[in-house]
């Protein structure tokens, strides 16, 4: 049998995993959630969820992946043969497929906006809200864009683990961080930055309720890419000397900083134009920001144009590295379970996601009347079942699997790279405490509260 691929370097491992984590979740979904859930309070709860639940779960996924060097389904099958645990792997593949489909829709919007920014449309159009609605509701262009972004991700995935995922992550992630730094600088120069800082940093504790808790937790899962098979699959390509806890810590720090920077880029702009409230929802970065770029353009044309291009490029790159991490688990599963070659397996995923993504995309226009549970469109429904239902369930199962099902020595052996790394004892004690008790109970409590009340 062909030897299974691994990443080639530690920096490649961190950047690939950070590429998965840093995505539209940070720059589009996070500011939206912060806006809808009361600002600073949400950020505090979010950080608690990230540290106490997200980081241990990310480490747990790395453990299962690196221990087995297999795709999610085979990983659970080999660690727990003949049990129902394999369902956890199947659920993971299923959600990755779903998320990739609806994620491509928003990624497609960013591609469209990047093109419009380059051609100067973004900085000169008269009504950004009308443009957004007109574009998202039309039938064809959004579908072309969905196919476009999926083909980009396809291109990376066909080139495999080192030649595709690692190579592009090592190039795209530093570029992305550079763009963020420039944009944050630009945003702080805006007149609304004081008000924005107050909104993001000064908590109003009366705003806490079950909904805010579930949203913060859902956002933490989504942003860190945990609770299903994506990081498990990346973990399965880690080399034996990769440090799992250290990698998880680095990825969590990068992801959280980028999310907060995302807020710092967007809210000063939002408060500066005053035409859209911070809780405007998904349209925030597609409706509000164009007005800001136009303001800048009116003053110094070159600056407005450059910022617009950089911003949408940033969104697109962030989206792309995350799409790759959703594309790979499904592809690896198909390759290893059905014996398809990499190009064929990748194509199956690309094509099915173009189809499902088109359904989601059309739910903003021609299919807007097709409603599910609670009146949700395809798009809302996909987002809801993945971020708010399947990911929490996946999180609980993952914590039980690694905290209780796997033998403790096996977990410690994996964390210490077969006892070659030394860690202070409190680190293990807290890891096991968090993964055994805090993570499953907190997720369960928040989840039940949301479903019942
Ligand atoms: N974390 C990504 C973001 O913030 C989205 C993402 C990529 C994801 N891979 C995932 C979410 C796996 C859940 C599971 O945009």
């Amino acid at each position: 049998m062909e030897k299974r691929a691994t990443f080639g370097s530690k920096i490649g491992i961190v950047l690939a995993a950070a590429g998965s984590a840093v995505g539209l979740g940070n720059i589009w979904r996070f500011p939206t959630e912060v806006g809808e859930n009361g600002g600073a309070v949400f950020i505090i709860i979010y950080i608690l969820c990230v540290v106490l639940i997200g980081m241990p779960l990310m480490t747990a996924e790395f453990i299962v992946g690196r221990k087995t060097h297999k795709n999610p389904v085979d990983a659970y099958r080999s660690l727990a043969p003949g049990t129902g645990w394999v369902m956890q792997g199947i659920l993971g593949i299923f959600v990755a497929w779903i998320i990739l489909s609806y994620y491509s829709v928003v990624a497609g919007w960013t591609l469209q906006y990047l093109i419009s920014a380059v051609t100067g449309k973004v900085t000169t159009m008269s009504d950004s809200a009308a443009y957004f609605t007109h574009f998202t509701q039309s039938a064809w262009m959004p579908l072309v864009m969905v196919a476009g972004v999926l083909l980009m991700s396809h291109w990376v995935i066909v080139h495999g683990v080192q030649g595709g995922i690692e190579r592009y992550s090592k190039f795209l992630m530093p570029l992305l961080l550079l763009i963020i730094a420039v944009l944050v600088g630009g945003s702080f120069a805006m007149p609304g930055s004081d008000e924005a800082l107050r909104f993001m940093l000064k908590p109003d504790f009366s705003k806490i309720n079950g909904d805010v808790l579930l949203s913060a937790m859902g956002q933490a899962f989504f942003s860190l890419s945990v609770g299903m098979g994506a990081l498990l699959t990346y973990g399965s390509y880690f080399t034996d000397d990769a440090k799992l806890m250290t990698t998880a810590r680095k990825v969590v720090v990068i992801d959280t900083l980028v999310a907060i920077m995302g807020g710092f880029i967007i809210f000063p702009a939002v408060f500066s134009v005053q035409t859209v409230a911070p809780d405007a929802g998904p349209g925030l970065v597609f409706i509000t920001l164009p007005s800001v770029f136009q303001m800048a353009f009116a003053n110094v044309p070159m600056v407005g144009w450059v910022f617009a291009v950089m911003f949408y490029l940033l969104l697109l790159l962030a989206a792309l590295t995350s799409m790759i991490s959703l594309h790979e688990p499904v592809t690896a599963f198909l390759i290893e379970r059905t014996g398809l070659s990499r190009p064929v397996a990748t194509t199956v995923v690309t094509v099915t996601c173009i189809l499902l993504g088109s359904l989601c995309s059309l739910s903003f226009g021609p299919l807007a009347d097709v409603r599910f549970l609670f009146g949700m469109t395809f798009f809302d429904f996909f987002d809801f079942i993945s971020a708010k239902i399947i990911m929490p369930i996946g999180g609980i199962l993952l914590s039980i699997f690694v905290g209780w099902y796997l033998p403790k020595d096996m977990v410690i052996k994996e964390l210490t790279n077969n006892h070659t790394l030394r860690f202070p004892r409190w680190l293990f004690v807290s890891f096991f405490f968090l993964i055994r008790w805090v993570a499953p109970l907190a997720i369960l409590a928040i989840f039940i509260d949301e479903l019942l009340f």
Side-chain angles (χ1 to χ4, degrees):
M1 208 178 102
E2 197 186 329
K3 194 172 169 303
R4 203 165 180 280
T6 59
F7 287 119
S9 62
K10 287 200 182 134
I11 181 81
I13 287 177
V14 172
L15 290 180
S20 169
V22 172
L24 294 171
N26 304 60
I27 302 156
W28 169 71
R29 204 173 186 279
F30 180 78
T32 307
E33 294 278 319
V34 171
E36 288 175 346
N37 289 293
V41 171
F42 179 85
I43 300 184
I44 296 174
I45 300 175
Y46 173 77
I47 292 179
L48 286 176
C49 289
V50 161
V51 174
L52 299 178
I53 309 176
M55 193 159 64
L57 286 180
M58 180 181 289
T59 313
E61 275 204 41
F62 288 161
I63 291 174
V64 176
R66 215 257 316 253
K67 168 84 198 146
T68 56
H69 293 294
K70 289 185 159 71
N71 70 75
V73 173
D74 288 318
Y76 284 101
R77 194 190 292 256
S78 73
L79 286 174
T83 66
W85 280 107
V86 64
M87 279 308 297
Q88 164 84 339
I90 295 174
L91 204 64
I93 298 295
F94 173 74
V95 203
W97 222 316
I98 299 277
I99 299 181
L100 181 57
S101 304
Y102 84 81
Y103 200 85
S104 310
V105 175
V106 184
W109 298 349
T110 69
L111 177 58
Q112 165 74 27
Y113 270 73
L114 175 60
I115 296 171
S116 310
V118 171
T119 59
K121 181 102 185 109
V122 167
T123 32
T124 52
M125 62 197 176
S126 51
D127 184 343
S128 56
Y131 179 83
F132 178 72
T133 322
H134 176 76
F135 167 69
T136 51
Q137 291 183 353
S138 57
W140 288 106
M141 263 336 253
L143 302 194
V144 173
M145 296 298 153
V146 168
V149 288
L150 276 162
L151 287 173
M152 292 183 195
S153 151
H154 179 99
W155 172 261
V156 175
I157 296 297
V158 243
H159 285 90
V161 176
Q162 282 198 17
I165 302 173
E166 183 168 1
R167 185 159 146 239
Y168 285 94
S169 303
K170 272 163 114 170
F171 164 65
L172 295 177
M173 290 308 288
L175 179 61
L176 185 141
L177 296 176
L178 183 75
I179 300 181
I180 289 182
V182 176
L183 288 175
V184 170
S187 200
F188 272 116
M190 309 268 317
S193 61
D194 286 351
E195 205 178 334
L197 280 180
R198 226 170 302 128
F199 180 69
M200 284 186 63
L201 301 178
K202 215 163 147 256
D204 171 0
F205 288 102
S206 65
K207 297 239 169 80
I208 300 184
N209 58 40
D211 223 22
V212 172
L213 290 175
L214 186 74
S215 301
M217 191 177 72
Q219 174 61 23
F221 279 33
F222 188 87
S223 189
L224 296 177
S225 313
V226 296
M228 24 132 344
L231 294 174
L232 190 160
T233 308
Y234 276 10
S236 76
Y237 301 133
F238 286 7
T239 43
D240 289 333
D241 62 349
K243 298 176 186 156
L244 304 187
M245 284 202 199
T246 317
T247 307
R249 197 183 61 229
K250 288 183 182 159
V251 174
V252 163
V253 169
I254 297 177
D255 187 69
T256 307
L257 286 179
V258 172
I260 292 176
M261 293 301 137
F264 282 154
I265 293 175
I266 286 162
F267 287 113
V270 172
F271 283 102
S272 300
V273 287
Q274 303 281 355
T275 48
V276 186
D279 58 358
L284 209 57
V285 304
F286 296 105
I287 297 174
T288 315
L289 287 182
S291 334
V292 178
F293 298 134
Q294 285 168 14
M295 243 169 53
F297 186 75
N299 296 333
V300 199
M302 203 51 207
V303 172
W305 184 85
V306 168
F307 274 90
V309 172
M310 277 181 48
F311 180 76
Y312 292 109
L313 180 64
L314 165 70
L315 276 184
L316 181 65
L317 298 183
L320 191 61
T321 50
S322 296
M323 286 175 66
I324 299 171
S325 79
L326 291 159
H327 214 141
E328 178 62 21
V330 191
T331 308
F333 163 77
L334 290 176
I335 296 174
E336 287 161 16
R337 284 238 62 94
T338 63
L340 293 177
S341 68
R342 181 165 274 272
V344 176
T346 314
T347 309
V348 171
V349 183
T350 307
V351 171
T352 48
C353 285
I354 291 180
L355 295 175
L356 282 176
S358 298
L359 277 184
C360 292
S361 178
L362 292 171
S363 76
F364 288 90
L367 296 184
D369 294 331
V370 183
R371 298 293 168 117
F372 291 88
L373 244 52
F374 313 120
M376 285 186 267
T377 61
F378 269 112
F379 182 91
D380 296 339
F381 180 68
F382 277 23
D383 182 64
F384 175 80
I385 53 165
S386 49
K388 297 200 171 157
I389 305 285
I390 303 185
M391 287 165 80
I393 294 177
I396 295 178
L397 293 177
L398 175 68
S399 57
I400 296 175
F401 188 74
V402 172
W404 299 96
Y405 183 84
L406 290 184
K408 205 169 170 178
D409 340 328
M410 184 198 271
V411 173
I412 292 186
K413 216 168 130 187
E414 210 51 45
L415 289 174
T416 55
N417 292 351
N418 210 0
H419 305 293
T420 57
L421 302 174
R422 295 258 156 252
F423 290 112
R425 218 180 97 78
W426 66 264
L427 209 66
F428 292 115
V429 175
S430 12
F431 175 76
F432 279 101
F433 181 67
L434 291 174
I435 201 82
R436 288 190 153 180
W437 299 101
V438 177
L441 292 177
I443 303 171
L444 194 68
I446 299 175
F447 191 55
I448 291 179
D449 181 68
E450 169 69 10
L451 292 187
L452 297 186
F453 302 104

